[in-house]
Amino acid sequence: MRPGFVILSAITIILLAADPSFAVGPVGVRLQPHVAVYDLSLRRSQQRMGLVGVNGRLAIEISGSECEDWTVSFRMVSQFISDDQSVRVLDTQSSTWEAGDGKSLNVSQRHFVDSALDTESKVTASTDAGGRTHGVVKNQQVQEFELAPGTIFPVMHLQRLIETAERGELRDKSSVFDGTEGSKSYVAITLIGGERKENGPADALKAEGSESLSGVKAWPAMISYYDQTIGENNDGLPTYEVSVEMFDNGVSGNMVIDYGDYALEARLAKLQLKPYGKCD
């Protein structure tokens, strides 16, 4: 099961429109550090899965600035309830560092099943002066890899999506690598809906701290992720999809994460904006 770091990569998450009083990122958008907590529940499941319920929480904390670097702490803990009433607890924890210029990425991740460590990995990747991106996966063994030309990391992907929405464009296609699945990268195709200028998207949120979103414009978006090695040739079906409300202050509202056989709903429960990192 995909642990869902792309809830960060689509959940994508932390971007603000450019502000002339601050330096901006490589594509002209400004990032807002914050903490977002989401309640998880089962939205649907195919009968053959034998899955009748999910209870859990997703927490993401973003710190830093585009002038230096970004750090992202991610944790998703969920109880998966089967039709025989057995319960399995999945706990995914990751810590990511991404350079402000989008050229380097370090990811440490641990995955627990019923409180026992299941997998652990460390991934590093960086882009050289010639534009080639090399990486190393360290788990039970060391694996070196190279990413396809033009592949970008999660924060830069977020920057690109917000800038695309600000221009009024409706589609983006990017190759994205987040380091949470070893050397695997994805083709992310994003469809962006029309801008929502009214308070409706914010009013629909019941989260503590969501009042800070009142009056903030937003765009509905659906991000479909295709395995880079398969592309769009997997019968036209993505590996997973994320539907999300993207606010232009960088916060992601309620989300649906669809893995095909089942889908999870992530409802924003708490939002806390954090100070910007140092930016000269």
Side-chain angles (χ1 to χ4, degrees):
M1 182 188 66
R2 170 75 174 174
F5 183 75
V6 207
I7 300 175
L8 152 64
S9 84
I11 103 184
T12 90
I13 311 185
I14 49 177
L15 305 177
L16 280 174
D19 182 332
S21 64
F22 286 81
V24 295
V27 291
V29 295
R30 181 182 171 209
L31 313 183
Q32 170 67 62
H34 68 269
V35 179
V37 179
Y38 299 83
D39 288 329
L40 298 174
S41 61
L42 182 65
R43 184 178 180 91
R44 65 160 184 81
S45 175
Q46 293 189 10
Q47 186 174 2
R48 63 184 178 80
M49 291 288 293
L51 183 63
V52 297
V54 175
N55 298 308
R57 272 205 158 185
L58 164 69
I60 301 171
E61 180 173 3
I62 299 113
S63 305
S65 77
E66 63 276 8
C67 302
E68 296 181 336
D69 52 36
W70 293 98
T71 57
V72 181
S73 297
F74 172 96
R75 187 174 187 184
M76 188 166 82
V77 181
S78 302
Q79 292 181 325
F80 282 71
I81 306 168
S82 299
D83 52 10
D84 62 1
Q85 296 306 302
S86 62
V87 178
R88 171 160 286 190
V89 179
L90 303 182
D91 181 355
T92 299
Q93 305 171 19
S94 69
S95 177
T96 299
W97 172 89
E98 184 172 335
D101 62 6
K103 294 183 178 180
S104 300
L105 179 77
N106 297 335
V107 181
S108 297
Q109 181 170 259
R110 297 190 299 172
H111 182 63
F112 296 84
V113 178
D114 295 333
S115 300
L117 181 63
D118 182 54
T119 60
E120 183 173 13
S121 66
K122 294 184 179 181
V123 177
T124 61
S126 60
T127 303
D128 62 24
R132 298 176 63 184
T133 302
H134 302 271
V136 176
V137 179
K138 297 180 180 179
N139 38 42
Q140 295 180 341
Q141 57 185 5
V142 176
Q143 173 194 358
E144 296 185 0
F145 63 91
E146 183 171 341
L147 297 175
T151 300
I152 57 178
F153 300 141
V155 171
M156 183 167 287
H157 183 223
L158 291 173
Q159 291 172 317
R160 180 175 293 182
L161 294 184
I162 293 296
E163 187 177 60
T164 299
E166 291 282 7
R167 290 197 302 265
E169 298 178 11
L170 304 179
R171 186 180 187 273
D172 176 77
K173 181 178 180 180
S174 300
S175 178
V176 183
F177 175 76
D178 66 24
T180 63
E181 294 185 89
S183 61
K184 182 178 289 188
S185 60
Y186 285 88
V187 174
I189 297 179
T190 303
L191 302 179
I192 303 172
E195 178 185 320
R196 298 179 178 176
K197 298 181 180 180
E198 303 300 327
N199 290 346
D203 291 345
L205 298 174
K206 307 299 181 184
E208 176 185 345
S210 63
E211 62 274 5
S212 63
L213 300 175
S214 180
V216 178
K217 64 183 179 181
W219 301 268
M222 175 176 285
I223 310 173
S224 300
Y225 293 87
Y226 297 84
D227 189 329
Q228 180 78 64
T229 60
I230 301 175
E232 298 173 60
N233 298 318
N234 188 21
D235 297 327
L237 299 176
T239 303
Y240 65 97
E241 292 182 322
V242 178
S243 300
V244 60
E245 195 86 35
M246 301 192 304
F247 288 87
D248 83 339
N249 68 350
V251 175
S252 289
N254 298 332
M255 295 175 285
V256 174
I257 308 125
D258 192 336
Y259 297 95
D261 289 335
Y262 68 96
L264 300 180
E265 186 167 6
R267 299 189 68 84
L268 186 64
K270 183 178 181 180
L271 174 66
Q272 178 184 356
L273 302 185
K274 296 179 60 178
Y276 290 98
K278 182 178 180 182
C279 213
D280 296 329

